[in-house]
Amino acid sequence: MSSVAILGSNRLAEDWHWLARDNGLSADRYTRAAEVDPATEVIVETLAHGSENKRQLLDELDASVPGAGLVLSSCVRWSATAIACWSRRPARVVGFATFHPLANRNVIELARGLDTGEEAFRAAETLVRGLGKENAEVKDAPGLVFPRILSLIINEAARSLDEGIATAEEIDIALRLGTNYPQGPLRWADEIGLDEVLAVIEGLQEETGDDRYRPAPLLKKLVASGRLGEAAGRGFYDHREESGDAA
């Protein structure tokens, strides 16, 4: 695997880029599909929001990098099958789902769309192994497994906070000490990015029509107000105070 393009302006794209470099892979990061070297063999794209933006990105990749054998696409918001339908080359599309920080994840989940080719899927497995990660093939659905389950736990924690059942700190302590989670769900959400969590939940609700995936109102409000977590300075917690930057 001689060339990998990481596409995206989010923290997960940065994670992919540095992890690839640290493991000796030749990788470059781009913010626009038109910038990608046409000779690139493997593309990792990390866009998790906005179906029209995702459609446009896949269309641009078809035009600018027609020879790439693999497009590894974030499917936290959509299934791999849905994403592949937006490409004129669906056989090369493989879905993946994980959360920032990638360095803390020992496994990267992969999913085949209905039209994913065997060659593309094997290339995805090779890429993941090249990053020093385990890969797990799971059933195609928005969010796959780890992001899905964690997002639903965070969603319920947000409901509990909004209903005044406990403070954010109390909720996190209860889950961390009661279940041995590495950290509480609300602080974990701030680390991941609340917009990423909301994308998973909205994708599940849209895919299934099931009301159990209805996003917590507080989660939606925080995302709408730009309080996305650590990267934005505020989320369920005020990280400006933690860093000494509060106004």
Side-chain angles (χ1 to χ4, degrees):
M1 187 172 297
S2 59
S3 59
V4 180
I6 313 298
L7 188 58
S9 57
N10 52 41
R11 291 185 299 168
L12 190 58
E14 185 176 352
D15 288 349
W16 275 97
H17 184 214
W18 287 111
L19 189 62
R21 289 290 187 91
D22 288 347
N23 283 277
L25 300 180
S26 176
D28 293 297
R29 185 180 169 197
Y30 304 89
T31 57
R32 296 175 57 248
E35 299 170 342
V36 179
D37 185 338
T40 299
E41 297 175 350
V42 172
I43 298 163
V44 178
E45 74 83 10
T46 59
L47 183 64
H49 314 283
S51 58
E52 289 306 314
N53 292 337
K54 190 84 158 183
R55 288 172 186 265
Q56 182 178 348
L57 187 151
L58 270 292
D59 187 62
E60 290 174 354
L61 286 175
D62 285 341
S64 60
V65 200
L70 168 64
V71 175
L72 187 59
S73 181
S74 171
C75 61
V76 296
R77 177 65 174 76
W78 310 274
S79 68
T81 297
I83 296 167
C85 288
W86 300 334
S87 172
R88 296 191 296 275
R89 297 172 176 81
R92 69 178 182 170
V93 177
V94 176
F96 82 90
T98 189
F99 278 146
H100 167 83
L102 188 54
N104 293 355
R105 314 293 172 228
N106 294 324
V107 63
I108 296 176
E109 298 167 14
L110 303 175
R112 303 172 190 255
L114 290 179
D115 294 318
T116 296
E118 188 66 24
E119 185 175 347
F121 193 81
R122 296 306 171 202
E125 290 182 316
T126 298
L127 173 62
V128 170
R129 287 195 297 269
L131 298 176
K133 305 292 184 181
E134 297 293 326
N135 64 74
E137 181 178 355
V138 301
K139 184 178 179 179
D140 183 25
L144 301 186
V145 177
F146 164 63
R148 169 181 179 154
I149 293 174
L150 179 56
S151 294
L152 293 175
I153 292 170
I154 291 167
N155 197 48
E156 186 58 35
R159 288 187 189 281
S160 299
L161 177 62
D162 202 19
E163 293 168 9
I165 293 173
T167 66
E169 291 86 351
E170 290 167 343
I171 291 169
D172 279 349
I173 289 171
L175 269 292
R176 182 167 51 83
L177 299 184
T179 64
N180 291 325
Y181 282 2
Q183 55 187 323
L186 299 178
R187 190 167 289 279
W188 206 345
D190 276 6
E191 179 184 66
I192 293 165
L194 304 192
D195 52 337
E196 299 286 319
V197 174
L198 182 60
V200 175
I201 299 168
E202 289 183 332
L204 287 166
Q205 186 183 42
E206 182 179 304
E207 179 93 354
T208 67
D210 194 327
D211 194 54
R212 65 181 165 146
Y213 300 124
R214 182 168 54 87
L218 177 59
L219 179 59
K220 294 177 68 175
K221 288 176 184 176
L222 289 172
V223 172
S225 66
R227 301 186 183 191
L228 307 181
E230 289 180 1
R234 287 187 294 177
F236 289 109
Y237 292 88
D238 191 336
H239 302 279
R240 300 171 304 168
E241 295 180 354
E242 296 172 358
S243 63
D245 293 335

